[in-house]
mmCIF file of all heavy atoms in Angstrom:
data_model
loop_
_atom_site.group_PDB
_atom_site.id
_atom_site.type_symbol
_atom_site.label_atom_id
_atom_site.label_comp_id
_atom_site.label_asym_id
_atom_site.label_seq_id
_atom_site.Cartn_x
_atom_site.Cartn_y
_atom_site.Cartn_z
ATOM 1 N N GLY A 142 109.320 111.527 91.832
ATOM 2 C CA GLY A 142 107.901 111.853 91.871
ATOM 3 C C GLY A 142 107.000 110.646 91.960
ATOM 4 O O GLY A 142 105.822 110.780 92.321
ATOM 5 N N VAL A 143 107.518 109.441 91.652
ATOM 6 C CA VAL A 143 106.691 108.234 91.758
ATOM 7 C C VAL A 143 106.176 108.051 93.188
ATOM 8 O O VAL A 143 105.107 107.473 93.407
ATOM 9 C CB VAL A 143 107.447 106.965 91.302
ATOM 10 C CG1 VAL A 143 107.836 107.069 89.829
ATOM 11 C CG2 VAL A 143 108.682 106.707 92.164
ATOM 12 N N GLY A 144 106.929 108.562 94.165
ATOM 13 C CA GLY A 144 106.486 108.451 95.547
ATOM 14 C C GLY A 144 105.202 109.210 95.809
ATOM 15 O O GLY A 144 104.413 108.839 96.692
ATOM 16 N N GLY A 145 104.964 110.269 95.050
ATOM 17 C CA GLY A 145 103.738 111.043 95.223
ATOM 18 C C GLY A 145 102.517 110.332 94.701
ATOM 19 O O GLY A 145 101.395 110.574 95.172
ATOM 20 N N GLY A 146 102.698 109.457 93.726
ATOM 21 C CA GLY A 146 101.565 108.731 93.183
ATOM 22 C C GLY A 146 100.998 107.711 94.142
ATOM 23 O O GLY A 146 99.800 107.390 94.095
ATOM 24 N N ASN A 147 101.840 107.206 95.049
ATOM 25 C CA ASN A 147 101.405 106.161 95.980
ATOM 26 C C ASN A 147 100.196 106.571 96.807
ATOM 27 O O ASN A 147 99.339 105.747 97.128
ATOM 28 C CB ASN A 147 102.553 105.793 96.934
ATOM 29 C CG ASN A 147 103.629 104.984 96.249
ATOM 30 O OD1 ASN A 147 103.795 105.069 95.040
ATOM 31 N ND2 ASN A 147 104.375 104.220 97.014
ATOM 32 N N PHE A 148 100.129 107.852 97.151
ATOM 33 C CA PHE A 148 99.035 108.326 97.986
ATOM 34 C C PHE A 148 97.687 108.073 97.322
ATOM 35 O O PHE A 148 96.746 107.596 97.962
ATOM 36 C CB PHE A 148 99.218 109.827 98.247
ATOM 37 C CG PHE A 148 98.079 110.465 98.982
ATOM 38 C CD1 PHE A 148 98.027 110.426 100.364
ATOM 39 C CD2 PHE A 148 97.066 111.114 98.302
ATOM 40 C CE1 PHE A 148 96.974 111.009 101.055
ATOM 41 C CE2 PHE A 148 96.016 111.707 98.978
ATOM 42 C CZ PHE A 148 95.972 111.656 100.360
ATOM 43 N N ALA A 149 97.570 108.411 96.037
ATOM 44 C CA ALA A 149 96.282 108.304 95.351
ATOM 45 C C ALA A 149 95.808 106.862 95.272
ATOM 46 O O ALA A 149 94.642 106.559 95.558
ATOM 47 C CB ALA A 149 96.388 108.904 93.951
ATOM 48 N N SER A 150 96.694 105.950 94.887
ATOM 49 C CA SER A 150 96.279 104.549 94.770
ATOM 50 C C SER A 150 95.981 103.949 96.138
ATOM 51 O O SER A 150 95.030 103.176 96.308
ATOM 52 C CB SER A 150 97.360 103.725 94.060
ATOM 53 O OG SER A 150 98.618 103.856 94.700
ATOM 54 N N SER A 151 96.754 104.337 97.145
ATOM 55 C CA SER A 151 96.528 103.820 98.490
ATOM 56 C C SER A 151 95.190 104.284 99.047
ATOM 57 O O SER A 151 94.420 103.497 99.604
ATOM 58 C CB SER A 151 97.665 104.268 99.418
ATOM 59 O OG SER A 151 97.450 103.826 100.734
ATOM 60 N N MET A 152 94.879 105.564 98.883
ATOM 61 C CA MET A 152 93.621 106.099 99.421
ATOM 62 C C MET A 152 92.416 105.526 98.675
ATOM 63 O O MET A 152 91.385 105.206 99.282
ATOM 64 C CB MET A 152 93.640 107.624 99.332
ATOM 65 C CG MET A 152 94.656 108.282 100.239
ATOM 66 S SD MET A 152 94.292 108.089 101.996
ATOM 67 C CE MET A 152 93.087 109.377 102.224
ATOM 68 N N THR A 153 92.523 105.402 97.354
ATOM 69 C CA THR A 153 91.437 104.817 96.572
ATOM 70 C C THR A 153 91.181 103.376 97.007
ATOM 71 O O THR A 153 90.030 102.934 97.150
ATOM 72 C CB THR A 153 91.777 104.856 95.078
ATOM 73 O OG1 THR A 153 91.955 106.217 94.675
ATOM 74 C CG2 THR A 153 90.677 104.230 94.240
ATOM 75 N N ASN A 154 92.250 102.640 97.240
ATOM 76 C CA ASN A 154 92.128 101.248 97.659
ATOM 77 C C ASN A 154 91.494 101.133 99.036
ATOM 78 O O ASN A 154 90.535 100.370 99.243
ATOM 79 C CB ASN A 154 93.520 100.602 97.654
ATOM 80 C CG ASN A 154 93.476 99.129 98.012
ATOM 81 O OD1 ASN A 154 92.614 98.389 97.556
ATOM 82 N ND2 ASN A 154 94.415 98.704 98.839
ATOM 83 N N ILE A 155 91.979 101.885 100.006
ATOM 84 C CA ILE A 155 91.482 101.787 101.378
ATOM 85 C C ILE A 155 90.047 102.285 101.484
ATOM 86 O O ILE A 155 89.245 101.769 102.270
ATOM 87 C CB ILE A 155 92.412 102.557 102.343
ATOM 88 C CG1 ILE A 155 93.770 101.838 102.431
ATOM 89 C CG2 ILE A 155 91.792 102.694 103.719
ATOM 90 C CD1 ILE A 155 93.677 100.381 102.854
ATOM 91 N N ASN A 156 89.676 103.268 100.680
ATOM 92 C CA ASN A 156 88.303 103.769 100.696
ATOM 93 C C ASN A 156 87.301 102.646 100.428
ATOM 94 O O ASN A 156 86.210 102.616 100.999
ATOM 95 C CB ASN A 156 88.147 104.872 99.643
ATOM 96 C CG ASN A 156 86.727 105.392 99.551
ATOM 97 O OD1 ASN A 156 86.219 106.024 100.463
ATOM 98 N ND2 ASN A 156 86.071 105.115 98.425
#
Side-chain angles (χ1 to χ4, degrees):
V143 298
N147 287 25
F148 174 85
S150 55
S151 178
M152 293 293 279
T153 299
N154 183 43
I155 292 304
N156 177 68

